[in-house]
Amino acid sequence: MPGRSLVTLRAAITAFFALDGFLFAGWVVRIPDIKHQTHASAGALGLALLGVSAGAVLTMTLTGRLCRRYGSHPVTVVCMVVLALSVALPPLTRSAPVLGAVLLLFGAAYGGVNVAFNSAVVDLVAALRKPIMPSFHAAFSLGGMVGAGLGGLVAGVLSPARHLLALSVIGLLVTAVAGRILLRHEPPVPPERTPAPGAEQGGGAAGSPGGRGLVVVLGLVALCTAYGEGAMADWGALHLQQDLAASPGTAAAGYACFALAMTVGRLTGSALLGRLGRARTVIAGGTVAAAGMLLGSLAPSVGAALAGFAVTGLGLANLFPVAVERAGALAGPSGVAVASTLGYGGMLLGPPAIGFMADWFSLPAALTSVAALAAVAAVIGVTTRRALGR
């Protein structure tokens, strides 16, 4: 594929990443309003939020198969259309069970589009032969920051129904433009997948037990990361508003701070990977995220909590991109699907776990579990540093 076509394709895929983050953040900053609207307890809300992750996990493996059969580009467009339409549905619900059912559809589209466009990026990264995966996830984080910031601005002016309907219209318009570009370009044909460094000695090729084991390990790193991202999305604003008496606008700024830090971390991620390599990036990121979340969850003031959220975002920034890119390089869309399924299993575990822990103990105590799993990701980086390689 000519270089100019690759640049155009990169721009279109970047737009989808940014739109994904924008729509998701627009939904999460209205969670406190939806909680009030449905009269749900913390535990009931956690079970309803389980619908997002359950829908995502249920469709990810299927999406990997669809990408192999029809190509990642058309699957990306179809899933994004469904995502844009479904984001307008939560404000129409009046009970936690109905909210959970609506979020199941939203999660299915969200999981599908994430596998599809990550698969498209794996092929593009292989064709360009540059470690640019973090830049796409930076676009997701930037979209999340804009979506959260916009949500904070309109929280006191627009109802959740009008706000999310506007997001749905924006999503469909962006999909119409970027989708036409994506559908006109065939995915670039990557070079032959290569095993991880040292795999030749240990039988770790992508199709061997060692290679499959490494894909699963990468999925565990993604799980620890997605647990933290999901916790910040689902519970961050509620923690600031409920436990620290922040205003709705300030509470929405919590996720915006987190997303901004992730954007900065991912924009510098390619340089960081080139300097440190995958293993040391995972180790450093997990350690920083653990320290940041301890501050964010236990700080007695809004300012300190916001600083902790930002440090957490900086630490988690490149863990998921590293995990997905390496899994895709090893096993193509199947590797992306496995790593993503395990990763969003973290989101599947997170909402109800934090909700129940909040009921049993407190929400700040429940959020320290994010720090614990970030530390687990750092330990995985230490124990698999030879397999991860550079």
Side-chain angles (χ1 to χ4, degrees), residues 131-139 263 265-270 273 317-318 321-322:
I132 59 170
M133 176 66 88
S135 69
F136 293 96
H137 289 264
T263 302
R266 286 171 171 174
L267 285 172
T268 59
S270 296
L273 282 170
N318 294 299
V322 167

Side-chain angles (χ1 to χ4, degrees), residues 16 71-81 112-113 116-118 120 175 182:
F16 276 106
S72 56
H73 293 182
V75 176
T76 296
V77 174
V78 171
C79 289
M80 187 59 80
V81 169
V113 78
F117 62 34
N118 273 296
T175 300
L182 204 61

